[in-house]
Amino acid sequence: MELGIIGLGSIGGNLAKQATEKDIDVVGCDTADRPELTEKGVTVLDSGDYEGLSERLDPPRAIYLSLPAGELIDDELESITEHLDEGDVVMDGGNSFWRDSMRREERVWEDGIYYLDTGTSGGPPGARHGACFMVGGKEEGFEIVEPILDELSVEGGLLHVGPPGSGHFVKLVHNGVEFGMLQSIAEGVELLEAGDFDVDLEEVFTNWSNGSVIQSWLVELMRDQIREDNYADVPNYVEDTGEVNWLVQEAFKGETPIPVISQSVIELFKSRGNQEHAYQAIAAMRHGFGTHPFGESEDILEERVTGRVDNVSRDHLAQDRENMDTVRPKDRFGDE
């Protein structure tokens, strides 16, 4: 088996290492020399040498793009397809917008070239030892590269989702779920740190990593990060490439409620200090209607702490539950 990889960074490079160890011949193109890959037997060509790439691969060629989403994909795709033949397969392994993938598939299919939107999950460790692939595109194209992807995927981690665009759509929803899970775990850390008990975070996350309902790779990663000596120095700033924003925007267009995923994106914005004026405006209005102080106030802080009333529940809401006149969906629409 042979595989061409364009972009030999953290994902493409690790896929190349894994592939060579599984007797898959790899020819790659990158802006850097990548001696650590050539030592493993990967043929590394200069960036843009798609003629050389094409000459070193037998048809039907299988080429994996490990590039950032956006116009770069269009530019590279235009260049590489000039050197490909009918029946060759191009896989976009990045986080491209699925509607862009649908457009690109139509374009390259005019030349008889298969285009597969190949959502790839697992990060660099997955690329190195077994990734998770969500593939959209024509079935015939998938069948050509299936043996290669099967070798590079973790057990159960290869799925042909459906038609063009579906692979990147499913991967984008996956990223949204990831954001929601990250936010939930982070809020758990906040509660543990702010609580009344002096708990050992590492021990708690170790405990949660063994048989608990929320046992997961993310919980294990949190445990491992807490163990790092520099954990306390990690900046309170979260960066991302913005693809989950597309998911939220599409949800709004379709009136699909995704409050957790939407709020997780908002929390990223807040971490970057992007609200320069909102809290100032709130403070000004609160001062206007209630002469609330500007800035910190020890008196207000004391009132906030000592004014709490403990052991207050909302049980009274359930006292008359049997007599409540609940409005059900069928009542709203007049259904029987």
Side-chain angles (χ1 to χ4, degrees), residues 182-183 186 190 231-241 264-276:
L182 289 171
Q183 182 63 31
E190 193 74 43
Y231 172 69
D233 299 324
V234 174
N236 196 26
Y237 184 103
V238 183
E239 193 62 274
D240 80 306
T241 53
S264 70
V265 174
I266 299 300
E267 294 299 324
L268 296 194
F269 297 162
K270 288 168 65 177
S271 80
R272 300 166 192 166
N274 287 343
Q275 286 190 311
E276 299 178 11

Side-chain angles (χ1 to χ4, degrees), residues 58-252:
D58 293 328
R61 302 172 181 88
I63 297 175
Y64 183 95
L65 306 183
S66 185
L67 300 171
E71 294 182 1
L72 178 62
I73 299 292
D74 290 301
D75 294 340
E76 297 303 303
L77 193 60
E78 192 67 27
S79 298
I80 193 172
T81 50
E82 295 178 4
H83 303 283
L84 298 181
D85 299 319
E86 183 177 336
D88 289 346
V89 182
V90 176
M91 296 172 278
D92 180 1
N95 286 319
S96 293
F97 184 45
W98 77 85
R99 297 192 194 280
D100 287 338
S101 300
M102 295 169 68
R103 169 178 57 80
R104 290 165 183 153
E105 195 277 340
E106 289 184 2
R107 161 64 190 87
V108 300
W109 184 243
E110 293 176 359
D111 299 323
I113 298 171
Y114 294 101
Y115 182 90
L116 302 178
D117 45 293
T118 308
T120 305
S121 182
R128 184 67 182 87
H129 302 291
C132 176
F133 297 110
M134 296 145 266
V135 186
K138 290 182 171 59
E139 179 73 31
E140 297 82 1
F142 174 74
E143 290 175 353
I144 293 172
V145 299
E146 184 177 8
I148 296 175
L149 294 180
D150 188 55
E151 286 290 330
L152 298 178
S153 64
V154 69
E155 184 177 356
L158 175 59
L159 175 66
H160 180 241
V161 182
S166 62
H168 276 154
F169 174 72
V170 170
K171 176 54 165 58
L172 188 55
V173 173
H174 159 284
N175 289 5
V177 172
E178 171 193 306
F179 271 37
M181 294 174 68
L182 289 171
Q183 182 63 31
S184 177
I185 294 170
E187 291 177 10
V189 172
E190 193 74 43
L191 287 167
L192 291 170
E193 292 279 32
D196 296 332
F197 305 98
D198 185 18
V199 300
D200 186 308
L201 282 183
E202 181 184 337
E203 290 182 354
V204 169
F205 275 89
T206 299
N207 176 260
W208 288 355
S209 298
N210 291 277
S212 79
V213 173
I214 62 171
Q215 178 181 352
S216 66
W217 186 33
L218 292 179
V219 168
E220 293 174 0
L221 288 176
M222 188 68 239
R223 175 203 62 198
D224 295 342
Q225 289 300 311
I226 293 170
R227 289 174 177 171
E228 297 292 330
D229 293 335
N230 65 340
Y231 172 69
D233 299 324
V234 174
N236 196 26
Y237 184 103
V238 183
E239 193 62 274
D240 80 306
T241 53
E243 63 266 12
V244 178
N245 300 4
W246 312 335
L247 185 66
V248 173
Q249 292 165 3
E250 287 293 315
F252 284 176

Side-chain angles (χ1 to χ4, degrees), residues 35-52:
E36 73 281 5
L37 295 181
T38 56
E39 291 176 0
K40 284 188 167 293
V42 178
T43 301
V44 180
L45 306 177
D46 292 336
S47 176
D49 186 6
Y50 298 143
E51 181 177 1

